[in-house]
Amino acid sequence: MSAPSTEPPFELITVGGVSVDLYPNNLISGVLPRLLEALADMPGDRVIVLDDYQLADNELWDASLDFFLEHLPLNVQLVVASRSAPQLPLGRLRAHG
């Protein structure tokens, strides 16, 4: 059995034609704005499903999802499936539709 990798589990991806790294601190400042822009530019409606969200047990994921929801384009719906309530302002989100 090999030793666990010491490399972080992040990689370089392309979002909206721009390469960005997936280092967690770059999610809100780099990855998500580009992803949101790319989604807004797509024709037609889109549905994104996040399954097993209870496994995202990190405040950064909750903050990133909150940012994503706050800036979600009108042509995109987000479905979050979780075995427990996410640490999000659910009342505010429900009130805003």
Side-chain angles (χ1 to χ4, degrees), residues 46-79:
R46 305 284 176 196
V47 176
I48 298 173
V49 179
L50 294 179
D51 194 12
D52 288 334
Y53 188 75
Q54 75 277 359
L55 299 175
D57 58 355
N58 181 310
E59 289 180 15
L60 177 64
W61 290 114
D62 292 331
S64 298
L65 183 56
D66 189 35
F67 176 88
F68 189 76
L69 289 168
E70 285 292 320
H71 299 89
L72 197 63
L74 295 175
N75 66 322
V76 179
Q77 291 183 338
L78 181 67
V79 176

Side-chain angles (χ1 to χ4, degrees), residues 4-93:
S5 171
T6 58
E7 293 295 315
F10 311 112
E11 60 186 77
L12 192 65
I13 63 166
T14 301
V15 177
V18 178
S19 293
V20 292
D21 66 60
L22 280 180
Y23 191 75
N25 294 332
N26 195 28
L27 285 175
I28 293 175
S29 64
V31 175
L32 292 180
R34 291 184 177 121
L35 175 59
L36 289 161
E37 185 178 326
L39 288 168
D41 290 343
M42 290 180 174
D45 294 334
R46 305 284 176 196
V47 176
I48 298 173
V49 179
L50 294 179
D51 194 12
D52 288 334
Y53 188 75
Q54 75 277 359
L55 299 175
D57 58 355
N58 181 310
E59 289 180 15
L60 177 64
W61 290 114
D62 292 331
S64 298
L65 183 56
D66 189 35
F67 176 88
F68 189 76
L69 289 168
E70 285 292 320
H71 299 89
L72 197 63
L74 295 175
N75 66 322
V76 179
Q77 291 183 338
L78 181 67
V79 176
V80 178
S82 179
R83 293 181 185 203
S84 59
Q87 299 297 312
L88 296 169
L90 297 177
R92 178 182 53 119
L93 293 169

